[in-house]
Amino acid sequence: MSKIMAVNAGSSSLKFKLFEMPEEKVICSGIADRIGHEDAIFAIKPAGKEKNETICSIPDHAVAVEMLLEALIDEGIVSSLDEIKGVGHRIVQGGAYFSHSEIFDKKVEEKIESLIPLAPLHNGAHLIGYRAFRDALPNVKNVAVFDTAFHQTMEPEDYMYACPYEYYEKYAVRRYGAHGTSHLYLSQKAEAYLKEGSKRRVISCHIGSGASLCAIKDGKCVATSMGLTPLAGVMMGTRTGDIDGSVMPYLVKQTGKDAETIYQEFNKKSGLLGISGVSNDTRDIEKAASEGNERAILATKMFARRVADYIGQYFVRLGGCDLIVFSAGIGENSEYFRKKILEQCSEALGLVIDQELNNVTIKGKEGLISTSESKIPVVVIPTDEEVMIARDVVSLVKPK
Ligand code: AMP
């Protein structure tokens, strides 16, 4: 038995989950949030116990890691830090360098660093998180687990952008995708729902505040909706999804704002929030739409159509489909949005949804939401990126 930590470090947060492996039992989880602020939050929840939350100053990630390690001892979660046999870090951008997870060393660190321009909001923060653990636990191996790795099996005609080739050669401009760790998890869980002898063509819909779809054949990614960055693909909570490149220079000219400001608006003020003007959260949008708010109604319709359009695209890309999977915050919890999405493609794809099953398969439940008449089974599978991280740590570090 070994204790393995899965870490997701953001620019001002550090989320963690400690597992007992290989049992895959969660021992505790938590977050240090608002790092860099006087009123930061440190919360830790040991499995089966109440969450312990403190508001205090957390000046940087190194302090957050110190607090976490202290809390593990204070809460009696570990009796010695030597019990931790490995730490896995979520890394959003692995570029074309990484098609699987790697143990951190100087070279891996440098490559991740060199990719910061492709993921300025993420890779820098991941490295800060990694360095904090490396310094706090010098005898423990750290593993980098890439969001992009699963998508490295795409063919050039799927990942290339039709812009001058030199931009690919000089600046590595291409589609990398994201949420790969989740799509890989879902494709593995999907195996249980695939009929024997099926062609194993899966369309995986990870739709949460960030949303991406993935076309998977024989357990390998052939296409995915996010692009160079997570801005592309379907409409999201606050992101535009696919948008004509001309909109950017046009808005720069018309508004007098600079490109960076418009880019931030595309990332943070668009999507469900931008259209509805209500919220980026589907719960608020659903409520507003049911009260007749026209823009909230439009936001739900646009969201459903964008996701359905990608399902249609991937049906063609895969030459058919043997399973559709819904996951993440919206996909796991919103029967309303699932119904709206599936209504858009049920006629073309011969989908028949069991409304009762759709209504009850929420809040972490897994299962089919289609009837036996449906030409393609539709299933809800709660995702678990952290357990994938812990598994990769175990397979690379081989703790004794
Ligand atoms: P994620 O990024 O996967 O954590 O998803 C978060 C998003 O999922 C929220 O912003 C909501 O839009 C949506 N969501 C979470 N819980 C629910 C729920 N119970 N009902 C409807 N939507 C939900």
Side-chain angles (χ1 to χ4, degrees), residues 206-210 272 280-283 286 328-330 333-334 363:
H206 174 117
I207 46 175
S209 52
L272 290 168
N280 64 331
D281 192 306
T282 44
R283 287 163 282 202
E286 195 183 318
I330 301 168
N333 294 299
S334 178
K363 296 187 179 146

Side-chain angles (χ1 to χ4, degrees), residues 78-356:
V78 297
S79 44
S80 152
L81 294 177
D82 294 340
E83 290 172 35
I84 301 172
K85 301 294 182 197
V87 181
H89 299 263
R90 175 190 181 216
I91 311 287
V92 160
Q93 180 56 269
Y97 293 129
F98 300 102
S99 53
H100 46 74
S101 301
E102 297 258 9
I103 294 183
F104 261 100
D105 60 14
K106 201 79 207 134
K107 265 199 198 133
V108 168
E109 193 180 345
E110 278 166 13
K111 282 182 185 159
I112 295 172
E113 182 126 43
S114 75
L115 293 165
I116 289 177
L118 285 178
L121 300 177
H122 294 101
N123 272 30
H126 300 327
L127 283 177
I128 293 172
Y130 154 65
R131 287 171 187 143
F133 274 95
R134 177 198 61 190
D135 295 345
L137 299 171
N139 299 322
V140 173
K141 288 213 167 69
N142 287 271
V143 170
V145 181
F146 301 93
D147 261 20
T148 45
F150 182 58
H151 304 309
Q152 281 296 301
T153 46
M154 280 189 288
E155 294 176 347
E157 51 270 51
D158 287 297
Y159 69 66
M160 287 298 288
Y161 288 131
C163 59
Y165 197 77
E166 63 176 299
Y167 293 152
Y168 168 63
E169 291 178 308
K170 280 194 189 156
Y171 307 114
V173 169
R174 49 159 283 187
R175 181 191 298 278
Y176 293 101
H179 292 148
T181 309
S182 172
H183 288 298
L184 172 60
Y185 176 85
L186 297 171
S187 85
Q188 290 175 353
K189 294 282 282 187
E191 294 287 332
Y193 296 91
L194 289 170
K195 288 200 191 89
E196 217 167 288
S198 94
K199 291 190 175 165
R200 301 175 70 220
R201 299 161 300 191
V202 176
I203 298 175
S204 153
C205 311
H206 174 117
I207 46 175
S209 52
S212 70
L213 275 79
C214 191
I216 301 164
K217 171 93 177 80
D218 288 329
K220 291 201 170 73
C221 164
V222 299
T224 194
S225 61
M226 283 178 167
L228 177 78
T229 74
L231 183 61
V234 295
M235 172 180 176
M236 305 176 216
T238 62
R239 296 185 202 135
T240 56
D242 295 338
I243 190 166
D244 179 349
S246 317
V247 176
M248 168 67 87
Y250 176 73
L251 283 179
V252 167
K253 222 181 247 168
Q254 296 299 314
T255 62
K257 295 178 186 175
D258 59 14
E260 181 58 30
T261 306
I262 304 284
Y263 176 63
Q264 291 299 331
E265 289 178 352
F266 284 177
N267 267 292
K268 295 184 179 151
K269 295 197 172 160
S270 303
L272 290 168
L273 172 66
I275 294 297
S276 71
V278 172
S279 168
N280 64 331
D281 192 306
T282 44
R283 287 163 282 202
D284 305 327
I285 308 254
E286 195 183 318
K287 184 166 175 289
S290 70
E291 289 162 3
N293 181 317
E294 293 290 338
R295 279 173 52 185
I297 293 169
L298 175 62
T300 63
K301 286 185 178 167
M302 282 174 66
F303 187 88
R305 188 153 296 169
R306 297 294 191 276
V307 176
D309 283 350
Y310 262 99
I311 293 176
Q313 184 183 330
Y314 287 167
F315 181 84
V316 173
R317 177 67 187 80
L318 290 165
C321 178
D322 304 295
L323 188 72
I324 296 173
V325 180
F326 279 100
S327 193
I330 301 168
E332 290 169 28
N333 294 299
S334 178
E335 72 280 8
Y336 176 88
F337 272 85
R338 288 193 304 239
K339 181 164 178 268
K340 293 246 177 250
I341 292 163
L342 292 166
E343 273 169 6
Q344 299 276 330
C345 41
S346 56
E347 192 180 345
L349 303 184
L351 307 179
V352 186
I353 298 312
D354 183 323
Q355 293 310 339
E356 182 51 31

